[in-house]
Amino acid sequence: WLVRGSQRDVVIDAGLGLRSLPDYLRDAGLLAPAEGAGPRPLLAVATHVHFDHSGGLQHFEEVAVHSAEAQALLQGDNYEAVTWLSDREVARPPRPGWSARQFRVPPVRPSRLLQEGDVISLGDRQLTVMHMPGHSRGSICLHDKDRKILFSGDVVYDGSMIDWLPYSRISDYVASCQRLIELVDRGLVEKVLPGHFNIFGAERLYWLASNYISQAGVCHKISTCAMRSIASIALRVTNSRITS
């Protein structure tokens, strides 16, 4: 998502980074400054460091991520970034001879570490950081309180919520879903702009969050534990091959 402000623009999640997202935004005229003014600062905020959200951070001068995942980003930890890409997922390779097996999230030094309650000011609008772990340990949402918009990353989207990756945690996810329900109950969210799939409203947000909580029983925890073990082994094997 590109959120334009009077003093700063923010990109929420940066994709794979096979091509430069800032170059695309400039070429498309989406970062055009006001007449007679210089370009506004551009900040990339990663809702979490999974590869499909953080791979493109390398192309930005200013990068923000939650402190819980800052070290993983700085080290280029492709295990925590769950780098798991296949050729069939790439519509157009970035160059001849490129293979998805070569893809890695490169090390990036964050220019800003985010914490619960931090406010990212764009001038005429403010985005409040909400630490919502569960999908990953550093997952965040960004809340535009004035417009009642929630940029939810992978904390919640209109699909099956993934809690079986390395550093996923069901108990954290349940607590985060309880916070989402509270946002709806207090009338603080009317529109959700997620990291995947379609935009949806408060009623759907309430259903998705409450449905996850109701499903997070013993059987779910057992199956999730098994899936996490399989995913962990596969990721270690995959990324060791990439490294070698």
Side-chain angles (χ1 to χ4, degrees), residues 72-95:
L73 184 62
L74 180 62
Q75 293 178 341
D77 184 346
N78 278 259
Y79 174 75
E80 184 158 357
V82 297
T83 300
W84 206 345
L85 185 65
S86 66
D87 287 316
R88 68 177 180 272
E89 295 175 292
V90 180
R92 183 162 58 93
R95 59 183 179 275

Side-chain angles (χ1 to χ4, degrees), residues 83-215:
T83 300
W84 206 345
L85 185 65
S86 66
D87 287 316
R88 68 177 180 272
E89 295 175 292
V90 180
R92 183 162 58 93
R95 59 183 179 275
W98 181 90
S99 169
R101 290 174 61 87
Q102 304 167 3
F103 175 80
R104 285 181 66 79
V105 176
V108 173
R109 180 177 295 277
S111 53
R112 180 172 178 180
L113 302 185
L114 301 174
Q115 301 282 0
E116 167 73 25
D118 284 353
V119 175
I120 300 172
S121 177
L122 284 68
D124 58 344
R125 64 193 303 179
Q126 318 296 321
L127 303 176
T128 301
V129 175
M130 302 185 71
H131 183 209
M132 297 280 207
H135 177 69
S136 76
R137 57 181 171 180
S139 284
I140 62 170
C141 296
L142 295 176
H143 187 204
D144 186 333
K145 294 180 179 179
D146 293 338
R147 293 167 175 80
K148 298 186 178 182
I149 295 173
L150 187 72
F151 297 91
S152 65
D154 283 3
V155 173
V156 60
Y157 46 75
D158 201 354
S160 179
M161 292 155 68
I162 295 175
D163 59 5
W164 43 264
L165 295 170
Y167 302 103
S168 297
R169 188 169 180 173
I170 293 174
S171 59
D172 286 344
Y173 223 146
V174 168
S176 292
C177 284
Q178 290 170 337
R179 292 190 69 190
L180 293 173
I181 289 172
E182 182 181 358
L183 288 175
V184 176
D185 285 341
R186 295 171 59 193
L188 299 178
V189 172
E190 294 180 353
K191 183 183 294 185
V192 180
L193 278 58
H196 300 274
F197 309 124
N198 297 324
I199 295 170
F200 54 92
E203 184 176 348
R204 186 62 175 170
L205 174 60
Y206 189 97
W207 186 90
L208 289 166
S210 58
N211 183 66
Y212 179 84
I213 294 172
S214 67
Q215 297 295 321

